[in-house]
Amino acid sequence: MALMTPARPADDIAEILVKADVIAAKVKELGVRIAADYQGKDLVLVSILKGALPFLADLMRATQIPLALDFLEVSSYGAETESTGVVRILKDIAKPIEARDVLVVEDILDTGQTLSYVIEHLRAQRPASIRLCVLLDKPARRVVPIEIDYRGFEIPDKFVVGYGLDYAERYRNLPFVGVLKPEVYARES
Ligand code: IMP
Ligand code: MG
């Protein structure tokens, strides 16, 4: 009897936008910059679950100064590829950030609605400073203007998956950032 080959997430990818080794080199570069900028500061990396997890895991190991981690979870698109513009905090950070130096670490800046909400929410807790680090920037889609202090890559207006980014909770485990084949969306709807 022939064994079934399990379907692999990579089989659904039409095009790779950012290869794994290119991501790794960029993340190292960002970590070195962050370590230099935050030397001697009370750095807290505040990351947004779940998409930023691979980026955070690699970035913190590239940032060789003392630091702490905290997490937020916000409402997401669900299975949709378009934001509703409504942001809700599902899980808040665990420890006070007052007078500490906060660096928000996020996978992607799209319309900016999620991050503007999150940054205002954190700013209200009076950190000493608050800056933003995003792996991917989709400037074509911006609705709310946001300043990015550390940016990995600017990408075109395409829905991407991999390296933490999902479509309907899948593809987060791809080691690269890519675009799905159109038939994947047809399959789900
Ligand atoms: P924004 O509020 O429109 O900036 O959306 C930000 C959030 O939407 C990100 O944290 C992602 O979770 C999700 N998102 C935006 N663009 C993409 C994409 O191309 N692929 C997967 N998720 C995305
Ligand atoms: Mg996200």
Side-chain angles (χ1 to χ4, degrees), residues 38 40-46 66-70 93-104 122-123 125-131:
Y38 285 90
K41 306 246 185 198
D42 188 10
L43 176 60
V44 188
L45 302 181
V46 173
L67 57 80
L69 302 179
D70 213 331
I93 52 171
K95 279 198 146 186
I97 50 169
E98 186 169 356
R100 308 189 72 187
D101 294 290
V102 171
L103 180 61
V104 176
L122 295 172
R123 212 190 286 281
Q125 300 174 49
R126 303 186 163 279
S129 69
I130 182 159
R131 285 188 183 165

Side-chain angles (χ1 to χ4, degrees), residues 58-110:
D58 290 340
L59 185 69
M60 69 175 181
R61 285 175 292 179
T63 308
Q64 285 301 310
I65 54 167
L67 57 80
L69 302 179
D70 213 331
F71 298 93
L72 274 166
E73 189 170 6
V74 297
S75 54
S76 71
Y77 293 175
E80 306 298 314
T81 58
E82 291 291 318
S83 175
T84 56
V86 179
V87 183
R88 212 158 45 91
I89 298 207
L90 304 178
K91 181 214 172 293
D92 208 344
I93 52 171
K95 279 198 146 186
I97 50 169
E98 186 169 356
R100 308 189 72 187
D101 294 290
V102 171
L103 180 61
V104 176
V105 176
E106 178 57 322
D107 50 5
I108 190 165
L109 182 56
D110 189 31

Side-chain angles (χ1 to χ4, degrees), residues 48-52 74 106-108 114 165 172:
I48 304 176
L49 296 169
K50 301 170 264 198
V74 297
E106 178 57 322
D107 50 5
I108 190 165
T114 307
L165 290 148
R172 294 193 196 274

Side-chain angles (χ1 to χ4, degrees), residues 2-180:
L3 283 174
M4 285 253 294
T5 309
R8 295 175 311 147
D11 295 339
D12 288 343
I13 297 298
E15 180 198 355
I16 295 179
L17 280 189
V18 196
K19 288 163 66 180
D21 58 336
V22 176
I23 296 173
K26 180 63 76 176
V27 172
K28 287 234 165 71
E29 186 189 310
L30 290 173
V32 168
R33 273 180 55 202
I34 292 165
D37 293 352
Y38 285 90
Q39 186 64 253
K41 306 246 185 198
D42 188 10
L43 176 60
V44 188
L45 302 181
V46 173
S47 200
I48 304 176
L49 296 169
K50 301 170 264 198
L53 270 181
F55 180 39
L56 175 74
D58 290 340
L59 185 69
M60 69 175 181
R61 285 175 292 179
T63 308
Q64 285 301 310
I65 54 167
L67 57 80
L69 302 179
D70 213 331
F71 298 93
L72 274 166
E73 189 170 6
V74 297
S75 54
S76 71
Y77 293 175
E80 306 298 314
T81 58
E82 291 291 318
S83 175
T84 56
V86 179
V87 183
R88 212 158 45 91
I89 298 207
L90 304 178
K91 181 214 172 293
D92 208 344
I93 52 171
K95 279 198 146 186
I97 50 169
E98 186 169 356
R100 308 189 72 187
D101 294 290
V102 171
L103 180 61
V104 176
V105 176
E106 178 57 322
D107 50 5
I108 190 165
L109 182 56
D110 189 31
T111 66
Q113 292 172 118
T114 307
L115 275 172
S116 65
Y117 184 88
V118 163
I119 288 168
E120 281 324 302
H121 171 78
L122 295 172
R123 212 190 286 281
Q125 300 174 49
R126 303 186 163 279
S129 69
I130 182 159
R131 285 188 183 165
L132 175 61
C133 175
V134 295
L135 181 70
L136 305 173
D137 179 21
K138 253 199 249 180
R141 303 241 319 151
R142 199 80 80 253
V143 172
V144 187
I146 293 193
E147 198 184 317
I148 303 174
D149 302 285
Y150 305 92
R151 174 195 347 238
F153 305 94
E154 189 174 308
I155 60 164
D157 184 8
K158 292 181 176 177
F159 189 81
V160 293
V161 295
Y163 199 69
L165 290 148
D166 73 305
Y167 171 64
E169 289 300 325
R170 287 168 60 200
Y171 307 103
R172 294 193 196 274
N173 55 337
L174 287 171
F176 51 77
V177 172
V179 179
L180 286 173

